[in-house]
């Protein structure tokens, strides 16, 4: 999935991003509606969302906390990447007053993102279940948990050929071996045998033989020995 220029992006949004309309305050409503479409249809357009955040910088009176948190959650689903931090840098620091709801929400989202970026998947699911606020922050993102699970599974398939079912259970935030087995087999197309999940070979998880050759001939050794004798003399 191309999060910078997704194929789902309509032409009118492309015109805003690439033209002078990206400075027009009236484009805020259009980009907010487009963000809602992303949330409903499970794709993300980080380029368009950053354009919206830039408009918020120029027009702070139009800023909406819910839109900002939705952009951050959508950016988070692109882990591991810089998308979340890129969005964070476009949010005006003055928006984060010490006791504001936005400040608390962003702090919690940053914690979640750090866990995903650090591949602390089991900890991510535990944190997500630890506070009802997390459910409130992700409720607008259709299929948020499934999107994260699919992304984790993709990363696992790039790094492993075999993994314990119990480990995968924690990483996917699923309860019970039956649920993990169903996800692994039916969703990912993997095999499960004797408590082990077997992942098909692919270009990313296949061990590749690397040969390192150093072309050293007798003449080179002779020069080194001659130089050492000259230095000793």
């Amino acid at each position: 999935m191309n999060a910078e220029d997704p194929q789902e992006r309509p032409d009118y949004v492309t015109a805003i991003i690439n033209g002078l309309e990206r400075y027009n305050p009236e484009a805020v409503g259009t980009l907010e509606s487009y963000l809602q479409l992303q949330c409903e249809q499970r794709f993300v357009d980080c380029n368009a969302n950053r354009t919206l955040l830039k408009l918020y910088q120029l027009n702070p009176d139009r800023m909406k906390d819910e839109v900002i948190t939705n952009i951050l959650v959508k950016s988070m689903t692109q882990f591991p990447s810089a998308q979340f931090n890129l969005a964070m840098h476009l949010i005006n620091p003055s928006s984060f007053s010490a006791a504001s709801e936005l400040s608390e929400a962003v702090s919690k989202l940053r914690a979640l993102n750090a866990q995903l970026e650090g591949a602390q998947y089991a900890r991510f699911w535990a944190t997500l279940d630890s506070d009802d606020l997390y459910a409130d922050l992700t409720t607008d993102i259709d299929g948020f948990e499934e999107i994260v699970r699919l992304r984790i599974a993709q990363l696992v398939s790039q790094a492993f050929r075999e993994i314990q079912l119990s480990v995968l259970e924690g990483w996917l935030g699923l309860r019970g071996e039956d649920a993990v087995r169903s996800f692994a087999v039916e969703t990912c197309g993997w095999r499960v045998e004797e408590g082990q999940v077997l992942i098909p070979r692919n270009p990313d998880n296949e061990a590749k033989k690397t040969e390192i050759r150093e072309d050293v001939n007798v003449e080179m050794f002779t020069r080194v020995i001659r130089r050492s004798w000259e230095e000793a003399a």
Side-chain angles (χ1 to χ4, degrees):
M1 179 184 294
N2 185 350
E4 282 295 301
D5 297 294
Q7 61 181 7
E8 294 90 347
R9 179 193 293 163
D11 292 339
Y12 66 86
V13 173
T14 300
I16 293 174
I17 295 173
N18 297 330
L20 293 177
E21 281 295 302
R22 66 181 182 272
Y23 301 111
N24 184 356
E26 299 305 316
V28 167
T30 301
L31 292 176
E32 287 175 343
S33 297
Y34 180 49
L35 172 63
Q36 183 62 35
L37 185 67
Q38 296 173 50
C39 295
E40 294 172 353
Q41 298 189 4
R42 301 193 183 189
F43 73 96
V44 60
D45 190 336
C46 293
N47 198 346
N49 295 339
R50 288 197 301 271
T51 301
L52 177 54
L53 290 177
K54 291 175 184 176
L55 279 170
Y56 279 169
Q57 282 185 329
L58 298 173
N59 306 275
D61 58 305
R62 292 176 176 262
M63 189 182 73
K64 297 177 182 177
D65 291 358
E66 183 179 349
V67 171
I68 289 178
T69 55
N70 282 347
I71 288 176
L72 291 177
V73 174
K74 292 296 288 184
S75 300
M76 186 192 306
T77 62
Q78 300 305 299
F79 70 97
S81 74
Q83 296 296 353
F84 185 91
N85 288 332
L86 288 173
M88 279 293 304
H89 286 305
L90 291 173
I91 302 174
N92 195 327
S94 63
S95 305
F96 304 138
S97 61
S100 71
E101 292 183 359
L102 179 61
S103 179
E104 181 184 6
V106 170
S107 177
K108 288 186 175 296
L109 292 178
R110 290 181 71 173
L112 285 180
N113 183 70
Q115 290 163 3
L116 289 176
E117 290 289 337
Q120 299 173 322
Y121 304 134
R123 187 176 178 185
F124 164 82
W125 294 111
T127 302
L128 190 65
D129 291 337
S130 67
D131 192 330
D132 290 341
L133 180 57
Y134 289 112
D136 294 338
L137 292 173
T138 59
T139 189
D140 289 342
I141 315 303
D142 184 61
F144 171 73
E145 293 188 5
E146 182 180 356
I147 292 171
V148 172
R149 285 193 182 97
L150 289 172
R151 182 59 180 152
I152 291 173
Q154 180 184 11
L155 295 173
V156 168
S157 72
Q158 293 173 351
F160 294 88
R161 291 285 306 281
E162 185 175 316
I163 186 172
Q164 291 183 0
L165 193 65
S166 58
V167 173
L168 193 61
E169 179 180 348
W171 286 5
L172 295 178
L174 295 171
R175 296 182 180 178
E177 289 191 358
D178 289 342
V180 183
R181 187 186 304 270
S182 175
F183 183 89
V185 174
E186 298 176 12
T187 303
C188 301
W190 301 340
R191 291 188 296 119
V192 179
E193 296 180 2
E194 299 180 354
Q196 294 290 114
V197 180
L198 307 180
I199 302 171
R201 180 180 301 174
N202 61 63
D204 294 308
N205 69 12
E206 183 178 8
K208 298 179 177 64
K209 182 179 179 180
T210 302
E211 293 185 3
I212 301 176
R213 294 187 57 186
E214 295 185 7
D215 295 327
V216 180
N217 53 41
V218 175
E219 183 180 352
M220 294 176 65
F221 275 115
T222 303
R223 288 202 299 267
V224 171
I225 295 173
R226 184 185 303 118
R227 185 177 302 167
S228 65
W229 277 102
E230 291 174 351
E231 291 176 353

